[in-house]
Amino acid sequence: MKLTRAILGDRLFVYLMKQTFYGHFVAGEDRIRIVPTLSRLRSFGVKPILDYSVEEDLSQEEAEKREVEASVSSAGTNLSEDSADSLPQYSVDKTFADRRYKVQSARTYFYLNEATCERNMETFLECLDAVKGATFGTGITAIKLTALGRPQLLLQVSEVIMQARRYMMDLAGSTGNILTHHKTIQDLERYLGNVSDKKEVKEFLTKVTSDKDGILHLFPWTGIINEDCQLSETFRVPDPVTGQMRRLISKIPPKEEEMFRNMIRRLNTIVKTAQDLDVRIMIDAEQTYFQPAISRITLEMMRKYNTEKAIVFNTYQCYLKDTYKEVCTDLEQAKRQNFYFGAKLVRGAYIEQERARAAALGYEDPTNPSFEATTEMYHKTLTECLRRIRILKDANIDPKKIAIMVASHNEDTVRFAIEKMQEIGIHPEDKVICFGQLLGMCDYITFPLGQAGYSAYKYIPYGPVNEVLPYLSRRAQENKGVLQKIKKEKRLLLTEITKRLAKGQLFYKPKGKYVPI
């Protein structure tokens, strides 16, 4: 009897969730049950970004334990063994080990073992297959790199990237965008003049790479996505005073080197599958202590796979002070290395956590000081992307070399993007700018965009009711504030209901005939 009551109670709960919160923000339980939602969206010119939103319901203690264990190498800490000025941002801290702290909208993966990462890869592959079957090649799958490997490895690669930037700044003798300094291999030889005749320094100089403009790259970064790459032997630079080779990354044990290669193999498998299926991948942004590695790996995936169209997209969070500089740097690399550049612009999901962590660990706050400053950063970055697209059009170069998603629920930002497109002379049919909002939010923005011929997307979570509850609970917390601000949407809904009552068509459903761009 108790078992029967429990089963009935569970069924009632699932039914109520489907009729309310789950039914509003989640498309369905599996790839079959989401088809009606995708078909309805498609009839109004709206395409999906699919995200299988199942998430482990871990306690704070379990999340912290997993993160700490997975963020420290068995050979020691994640910091450089030779550097006295290692960077505190790229070390794990127990206080912030639960990466869900002050984060509502972003899904979080905690590393358990390599088998879990393999299962996550299979889930992403299933999402790709679902996107292909439901959207005929126009859809996107969102993935997180922390789902595919050990976070310690991302911490270490992130730090080595920032240490390499410091080294280049010392070489350049100034700050700012590294690419604008136009330093060549000859400049590096002069910088190492007193020690350039040492054997190890000579060997290092033979491995340094440069692009078609002769601009220096300390390391052959393409090797980072090579499944045979040995991290601990790759990132070494000569000290300009002593000539001794200095590691920018701590010695990584063979087992952890293998874990890194496994992570890269999983990502290569996902992106190659997306290429074969003719659908796209958006790699989500994460915390700033992971992001240098995520962005570098994503950029190398762009270089490898974005040879004929933008298949891989990176995500840029505009609440960060360096977003404009990072986007400009990546755009320059795409231009000089001749690959298609894909970017999703968001305001960002981790701002409160980032501010608290910077204050606690004593490094510079990476975030903009206000919402207005973030909006300015968003608009400035978007304008630069549009300007470069216009240059491509004027030069009779394929404007699709740059593809941008404006992922925003802010009506003013969407309006700004449309007005800038018109001002610069970029049209919806150019298929270089698209717009994205979450399922169940800001329909009054998404549907008119799709109906007006713009490329419009909905970010669509799906998965079994009980297994997406952790995601939904955070979405509920996020929407406490959002629901207080959507007076306009409620007013529009009331107006529509009034019109339907007057016409006697309360349950009338308009049939769209819009073809997604």
Side-chain angles (χ1 to χ4, degrees):
M1 182 65 72
K2 288 182 178 180
L3 181 60
T4 303
R5 286 178 181 174
I7 293 172
L8 289 174
D10 186 59
R11 288 178 178 174
L12 178 60
F13 173 77
V14 169
Y15 174 79
L16 290 174
M17 287 295 291
K18 287 182 177 180
Q19 300 306 310
T20 53
F21 203 66
Y22 175 95
H24 188 71
F25 289 109
V26 183
E29 294 182 276
D30 54 42
R31 57 183 294 179
I32 304 300
R33 290 181 174 90
I34 66 175
V35 169
T37 297
L38 300 188
S39 298
R40 181 175 66 87
L41 292 175
R42 182 176 174 81
S43 71
F44 289 95
V46 177
K47 297 166 285 187
I49 305 171
L50 286 189
D51 182 18
Y52 189 67
S53 296
V54 168
E55 187 175 308
E56 285 186 276
D57 190 12
L58 298 178
S59 67
Q60 180 181 336
E61 291 74 20
E62 177 63 22
E64 290 174 351
K65 180 175 180 291
R66 280 202 200 178
E67 188 73 0
V68 170
E69 290 177 352
S71 297
V72 178
S73 170
S74 59
T77 69
N78 60 302
L79 301 179
S80 168
E81 62 186 28
D82 299 321
S83 176
D85 58 346
S86 55
L87 307 175
Q89 183 173 354
Y90 303 101
S91 59
V92 66
D93 185 88
K94 187 175 186 297
T95 306
F96 300 94
D98 185 350
R99 287 183 276 115
R100 300 167 300 184
Y101 174 68
K102 291 183 179 291
V103 176
Q104 279 87 44
S105 57
R107 253 186 333 119
T108 305
Y109 291 90
F110 291 97
Y111 180 87
L112 179 61
N113 51 42
E114 292 296 287
T116 302
C117 295
E118 288 291 320
R119 287 196 295 272
N120 290 337
M121 179 190 73
E122 293 298 330
T123 297
F124 291 138
L125 292 174
E126 289 172 9
C127 283
L128 286 172
D129 199 42
V131 165
K132 174 64 176 179
T135 66
F136 312 103
T138 62
I140 301 172
T141 292
I143 70 170
K144 270 187 161 57
L145 210 51
T146 49
L148 300 176
R150 187 177 171 90
Q152 164 225 338
L153 302 166
L154 295 175
L155 283 169
Q156 289 182 292
V157 173
S158 290
E159 187 182 8
V160 76
I161 288 168
M162 301 313 291
Q163 293 283 19
R165 288 186 182 183
R166 278 188 171 189
Y167 191 86
M168 286 295 291
M169 292 301 180
D170 291 340
L171 164 62
S174 59
T175 59
N177 190 325
I178 294 170
L179 293 183
T180 62
H181 298 309
H182 295 282
K183 294 299 177 182
T184 64
I185 293 176
Q186 289 71 35
D187 292 318
L188 179 60
E189 289 174 343
R190 284 191 288 272
Y191 179 65
L192 298 171
N194 294 331
V195 297
S196 59
D197 58 343
K198 290 197 171 186
K199 180 182 177 182
E200 284 189 311
V201 176
K202 285 182 177 179
E203 289 178 358
F204 170 78
L205 289 171
T206 62
K207 295 177 182 177
V208 168
T209 61
S210 58
D211 60 30
K212 67 180 183 180
D213 293 342
I215 308 304
L216 179 67
H217 298 269
L218 279 181
F219 306 111
W221 288 108
T222 51
I224 205 170
I225 62 167
N226 182 337
E227 293 170 25
D228 297 322
C229 172
Q230 294 287 328
L231 290 178
S232 57
E233 297 305 317
T234 299
F235 300 120
R236 300 167 72 235
V237 295
D239 186 287
V241 177
T242 66
Q244 292 182 330
M245 297 304 292
R246 171 159 52 96
R247 292 185 192 279
L248 295 181
I249 194 169
S250 58
K251 184 72 174 178
I252 299 177
K255 182 178 179 181
E256 290 168 17
E257 287 274 12
E258 183 182 359
M259 288 178 179
F260 183 78
R261 291 196 295 273
N262 283 338
M263 179 171 64
I264 296 303
R265 171 184 56 77
R266 293 174 192 122
L267 185 58
N268 267 310
T269 299
I270 291 167
V271 180
K272 180 65 169 64
T273 302
Q275 184 183 53
D276 292 343
L277 295 175
D278 193 25
V279 295
R280 285 167 282 179
I281 290 285
M282 280 187 172
I283 298 180
D284 283 343
E286 302 194 46
Q287 287 87 351
T288 51
Y289 45 91
F290 293 139
Q291 197 55 44
I294 292 171
S295 290
R296 184 77 248 175
I297 291 169
T298 302
L299 204 68
E300 294 308 319
M301 288 292 171
M302 285 190 203
R303 192 205 311 263
K304 182 175 180 178
Y305 292 100
N306 289 10
T307 55
E308 297 179 358
K309 64 194 304 187
I311 292 170
V312 181
F313 283 64
N314 197 9
T315 302
Y316 298 88
Q317 301 189 98
C318 292
Y319 68 64
L320 297 174
K321 294 175 183 175
D322 290 338
T323 297
Y324 176 77
K325 181 176 71 175
E326 295 290 338
V327 172
C328 288
T329 299
D330 292 351
L331 280 165
E332 276 298 307
Q333 293 194 67
K335 176 184 175 183
R336 295 215 303 262
Q337 295 163 22
N338 195 31
F339 59 87
Y340 284 68
F341 177 79
K344 178 175 72 169
L345 301 182
V346 300
R347 275 182 167 75
Y350 307 98
I351 187 165
E352 290 186 58
Q353 183 186 111
E354 294 283 8
R355 287 173 174 168
R357 191 176 189 271
L361 300 189
Y363 58 87
E364 183 183 352
D365 184 349
T367 69
N368 288 314
S370 65
F371 178 83
E372 290 73 23
T374 294
T375 297
E376 182 181 351
M377 177 67 74
Y378 199 121
H379 292 180
K380 179 181 178 182
T381 305
L382 175 59
T383 299
E384 176 64 16
C385 294
L386 292 170
R387 184 186 72 82
R388 289 175 182 251
I389 292 170
R390 180 72 246 184
I391 290 172
L392 292 175
K393 287 188 71 174
D394 290 344
N396 290 321
I397 299 172
D398 185 4
K400 297 189 187 70
K401 295 282 280 190
I402 300 173
I404 305 297
M405 170 170 279
V406 179
S408 176
H409 298 107
N410 186 286
E411 188 177 344
D412 291 334
T413 290
V414 173
R415 184 180 294 109
F416 175 88
I418 292 171
E419 289 174 352
K420 274 294 175 185
M421 288 174 67
Q422 294 171 346
E423 176 187 322
I424 293 175
I426 296 170
H427 309 293
E429 55 269 25
D430 290 330
K431 300 183 182 179
V432 293
I433 301 294
C434 58
F435 298 84
Q437 289 84 36
L438 282 164
L439 181 69
M441 293 178 65
C442 297
D443 289 349
Y444 74 96
I445 293 177
T446 317
F447 287 131
L449 283 170
Q451 293 166 357
Y454 290 90
S455 185
Y457 284 84
K458 279 292 192 188
Y459 189 98
I460 299 179
Y462 72 102
V465 174
N466 290 315
E467 295 180 47
V468 299
L469 283 179
Y471 167 85
L472 282 174
S473 64
R474 292 205 311 280
R475 180 65 68 205
Q477 293 174 18
E478 179 189 27
N479 280 278
K480 285 179 183 177
V482 173
L483 291 173
Q484 294 171 3
K485 300 175 184 178
I486 57 172
K487 292 181 180 178
K488 179 172 183 177
E489 190 159 5
K490 287 191 281 188
R491 188 175 70 249
L492 291 170
L493 287 170
L494 181 60
T495 301
E496 178 65 18
I497 290 171
T498 303
K499 286 181 180 178
R500 292 189 183 188
L501 283 171
K503 294 180 179 179
Q505 295 179 324
L506 180 60
F507 299 105
Y508 171 73
K509 294 181 180 179
K511 302 293 183 183
K513 299 295 182 183
Y514 307 99
V515 178
I517 288 183

